[in-house]
Amino acid sequence: MIHYLPIAELEVNIFIILSSGFVVGFMSGLFGVGGGFLMTPILIFLGIPPATAVATEANQILGSSSSGAVAHGSKGNIDYEIGLFLLIGGIFGSTLGVIFFKFMRDAGNLDLIISILYILFLATIGTLMFAESALSMYRKEVSTTRIRSKRNIFHKLPLRFRFRKSKIYISILLPISIGCFVGILSALMGVGGGFVMVPAMIYLLGMNTVSAVGTSLFQIVFVTMNVTILQATFNQAVDLVLAVYLLIGGVIGAQFGSRYTSRLKGEQLRVLLAIIVMIVCFKMSFDLVSEPVINSRIIIQEIN
Amino acid sequence: MFFILILIFLPLSLNSQPLSFDLSSYEVTLKNNKKNNLTIFGYNKTKDLLVLKIVGPNQKVILQKKTKFLNMWTWKKSGEFSYPSLFHYYTNFKSDDIDFRVKKDLVDNIKLVGKDDDNLKKDLIEKKMTLGLFYVKNNSFKSIEKNNQDFFKIPIKLPYNSLAGKYEISMEVFKEKKLVSKKSKFFFVEKPGLNSFIYKFAHNFSFLYGLVSVIVAIALGVGAGFIFRK
């Protein structure tokens, strides 16, 4: 079951790639997350060049998110007004991210940047998630569908606009900034960014959870679309064959994962996810400081 | 097959030529398997040292090496080179002199853009050796017939990561450590199939490739969602 990946330019065991897609898809279904922040490090562990892993994962997230975006759109869960401003920021941020990606790749430091970003993000997410879940397991707080944000400095920003669907009155700079930040993450880390965007939309913008998830998916589809096209055009780093295998494994895994969600409590699920995130973070940190097995590589620039 | 080739080579040998060689094919198709993809057939009446050399299309590359930065390992651009993408050497017997010549030939053919201050050519050669793109094999001439040692064959396996393009194959004859004759031929390497098509498409029509990737991902995602919802 060995297959040659044309863009990654290496041979992989398809069974391992499909299994990885399945496992991450299973966790996506189980925990209700996109899974990009787990899939990209796993691909790097499997030997896929980080640039290809990031760009290909963006393409895979596009596929896995599009189905959810269509479903949420048909149920009226997308706030297109906020989505538009998120998208403006997202397109700007992701374009900026791809330019930076190319610059760092040419300089030879891209792998280090990707690893450091992942370690920082996984450590932060893992710790926060673990602490929050552990606390809520003791407190047994009842969650509400709408968490109104307290008035803070963000609500004093200029260019305020009334978003009728979400019934909020906020500055357009807020969704643009969130979108821009997530766009940069998407380009540099190959993630959808839902794990940042959804909490930000709930706690900072004051949107309800269902609408935040739907609008986030809407933004992710278009931003990952932009990242895929730009990464393919400027970095030739999107491996369509790899993306297809990951999508197949991921889609099937997600179906199984979602069946087990109801068997575990929300807090238990989050603690479990936090532990997985921390393990991946530890492995990335270890790889970054340990003596490399391969210490040289050749990058073809021109063929005569 | 062998007999047909022998019949082809026999008149050449009778024509008092001490050495002659030909290829099993002038168009080599690289496939992702372990089989040999090219065989050299020849006739050699001399007892001289023979070196079969295969040279791939020229390419410009960057060599990156891992270096420590704040206790973390990162890639650093070490050198820029211009050299043939593939070098394969096959000899009919082992000789220290030829070993030296082959290594010198490898080093001489690699042009470094800038100063070689860190044995970069040596690093590049080692890296290419591990990829199978630089290769030296002694005692690689196999007799076709038990009774007649004059007819030989050299089975060759070009690695799948060899570049597509025009390759030069030459047979060099050494007598008393001196090159006395050289015969060259050319053959073409191609990589058919979906992988090669995707590689070319991604590099030559990058924007279109990006669009296709987007369409394929959405079609698969929406399609799968539709199937599982049903």
Side-chain angles (χ1 to χ4, degrees), chain A residues 89-103 180-181 183-185 187-188 226-227 230:
Chain A
I91 298 292
F92 176 74
S94 56
T95 307
L96 207 68
V98 174
I99 293 167
F100 181 69
F101 186 100
K102 183 168 172 54
F103 175 74
C180 181
F181 179 66
I184 293 171
L185 288 187
L188 293 178
N226 186 49
V227 171
L230 291 179

Side-chain angles (χ1 to χ4, degrees), chain B residues 141-203:
Chain B
F141 288 49
K142 312 282 176 205
S143 271
I144 292 177
E145 286 182 314
K146 274 185 182 176
N147 302 332
N148 189 346
Q149 299 293 312
D150 294 345
F151 291 100
F152 65 83
K153 64 170 182 175
I154 311 166
I156 289 166
K157 168 86 180 96
L158 295 175
Y160 190 71
N161 51 0
S162 308
L163 291 179
K166 192 179 179 184
Y167 283 63
E168 186 188 2
I169 185 161
S170 58
M171 185 73 83
E172 294 174 349
V173 184
F174 291 88
K175 207 168 195 173
E176 291 165 3
K177 297 183 180 180
K178 280 183 184 168
L179 179 69
V180 288
S181 75
K182 182 182 172 180
K183 283 178 184 173
S184 293
K185 292 174 191 283
F186 293 93
F187 67 95
F188 289 88
V189 168
E190 57 177 26
K191 283 182 174 178
L194 188 65
N195 287 339
S196 179
F197 171 76
I198 290 173
Y199 181 87
K200 283 180 197 161
F201 187 35
H203 284 82

Side-chain angles (χ1 to χ4, degrees), chain A residues 253-274:
Chain A
Q255 299 303 317
F256 283 96
S258 57
R259 289 180 194 173
Y260 290 89
T261 310
S262 55
R263 297 188 188 179
L264 289 165
K265 288 178 183 171
E267 295 82 11
Q268 290 172 334
L269 282 171
R270 289 203 294 277
V271 166
L272 199 60
L273 181 62

Side-chain angles (χ1 to χ4, degrees), chain A residues 2-4 6-7 9 11 59 62-64 66-67 70-71 105-109 111-112 116 225 228-229 232-233 236 238-241 244 247-248 251-252 255 288-292 294-304, chain B residues 32 57-66 68-69 71-77 80 82-83 123-124 127-128 131 160-161 163 191 195 198-199 202-203 206-207 209-214 216-218 220-222 224-225 228-229:
Chain A
I2 300 291
H3 195 110
Y4 185 80
I7 306 299
E9 291 184 69
E11 288 179 333
N59 192 32
L62 165 64
S64 55
S66 51
S67 168
V70 169
R105 193 186 192 191
D106 292 344
N109 296 322
D111 298 7
L112 180 68
I116 291 174
M225 201 185 281
T228 302
I229 292 172
T233 308
Q236 287 89 37
V238 179
D239 199 312
L240 185 56
V241 177
V244 168
L247 264 169
I248 293 168
V251 164
I252 299 167
Q255 299 303 317
L288 199 60
V289 293
S290 57
E291 188 86 31
I294 298 166
N295 55 15
S296 66
R297 67 178 179 189
I298 294 165
I299 297 168
I300 299 172
Q301 287 209 305
E302 207 178 295
I303 299 162
N304 304 315
Chain B
N32 200 12
N58 215 49
Q59 64 179 9
K60 201 171 147 188
V61 304
I62 284 177
L63 177 75
Q64 291 186 336
K65 286 173 77 180
K66 280 244 170 173
K68 257 194 171 181
F69 172 72
N71 230 24
M72 296 176 289
W73 289 94
T74 182
W75 292 108
K76 194 185 169 194
K77 180 179 166 181
E80 206 174 321
S82 174
Y83 63 94
D123 287 339
L124 184 77
K127 183 72 190 166
K128 297 284 281 190
L131 296 171
Y160 190 71
N161 51 0
L163 291 179
K191 283 182 174 178
N195 287 339
I198 290 173
Y199 181 87
H203 284 82
S206 305
F207 179 74
Y209 175 79
L211 277 181
V212 171
S213 301
V214 162
V216 170
I218 293 175
L220 267 173
V222 174
F228 283 109
R229 225 167 282 143

Side-chain angles (χ1 to χ4, degrees), chain A:
Chain A
M1 289 283 273
I2 300 291
H3 195 110
Y4 185 80
L5 298 176
I7 306 299
E9 291 184 69
L10 52 89
E11 288 179 333
V12 290
N13 188 325
I14 292 309
F15 180 73
I16 293 174
I17 296 292
L18 282 171
S19 307
S20 305
F22 180 87
V23 170
V24 175
F26 183 85
M27 287 194 271
S28 300
L30 188 68
F31 303 122
V33 293
F37 63 96
L38 287 173
M39 196 67 240
T40 309
I42 288 173
L43 289 177
I44 295 170
F45 298 157
L46 291 174
I48 307 291
T52 310
V54 166
T56 305
E57 191 46 29
N59 192 32
Q60 194 235 335
I61 289 168
L62 165 64
S64 55
S65 307
S66 51
S67 168
V70 169
H72 276 279
S74 62
K75 286 177 187 168
N77 295 337
I78 298 173
D79 186 329
Y80 290 103
E81 286 176 329
I82 292 180
L84 180 71
F85 289 110
L86 280 169
L87 201 52
I88 292 168
I91 298 292
F92 176 74
S94 56
T95 307
L96 207 68
V98 174
I99 293 167
F100 181 69
F101 186 100
K102 183 168 172 54
F103 175 74
M104 293 312 290
R105 193 186 192 191
D106 292 344
N109 296 322
L110 182 67
D111 298 7
L112 180 68
I113 297 286
I114 292 171
S115 297
I116 291 174
L117 278 175
Y118 262 102
I119 291 164
L120 288 175
F121 265 85
L122 294 177
T124 311
I125 292 165
T127 312
L128 287 176
M129 204 183 284
F130 189 85
E132 187 266 334
S133 318
L135 277 174
S136 58
M137 278 167 89
Y138 285 105
R139 287 182 189 162
K140 299 208 173 209
E141 279 184 352
V142 180
S143 63
T144 54
T145 52
R146 171 176 280 242
I147 301 158
R148 276 283 175 203
S149 61
K150 289 175 186 170
R151 291 198 69 78
N152 53 38
I153 192 163
F154 296 118
H155 293 86
K156 289 175 185 167
L157 288 169
L159 301 170
R160 271 176 280 181
F161 189 86
R162 194 170 299 284
F163 295 95
R164 280 162 293 178
K165 185 172 171 59
S166 294
K167 293 172 188 162
I168 50 175
Y169 182 60
I170 52 161
S171 166
I172 58 166
L173 296 176
L174 265 176
I176 289 175
S177 307
I178 295 168
C180 181
F181 179 66
V182 171
I184 293 171
L185 288 187
S186 189
L188 293 178
M189 298 171 72
V191 294
F195 60 98
V196 172
M197 206 158 28
V198 173
M201 286 157 85
I202 295 168
Y203 294 111
L204 286 179
L205 306 188
M207 291 172 74
N208 70 56
T209 308
V210 176
S211 190
V213 171
T215 311
S216 149
L217 279 169
F218 167 79
Q219 198 260 10
I220 288 170
V221 165
F222 287 97
V223 168
T224 50
M225 201 185 281
N226 186 49
V227 171
T228 302
I229 292 172
L230 291 179
Q231 291 283 26
T233 308
F234 296 109
N235 295 312
Q236 287 89 37
V238 179
D239 199 312
L240 185 56
V241 177
L242 177 62
V244 168
Y245 283 125
L246 292 175
L247 264 169
I248 293 168
V251 164
I252 299 167
Q255 299 303 317
F256 283 96
S258 57
R259 289 180 194 173
Y260 290 89
T261 310
S262 55
R263 297 188 188 179
L264 289 165
K265 288 178 183 171
E267 295 82 11
Q268 290 172 334
L269 282 171
R270 289 203 294 277
V271 166
L272 199 60
L273 181 62
I275 292 168
I276 295 166
V277 165
M278 296 296 265
I279 291 169
V280 174
C281 177
F282 177 77
K283 169 85 173 102
M284 284 210 97
S285 312
F286 180 77
D287 287 352
L288 199 60
V289 293
S290 57
E291 188 86 31
V293 181
I294 298 166
N295 55 15
S296 66
R297 67 178 179 189
I298 294 165
I299 297 168
I300 299 172
Q301 287 209 305
E302 207 178 295
I303 299 162
N304 304 315

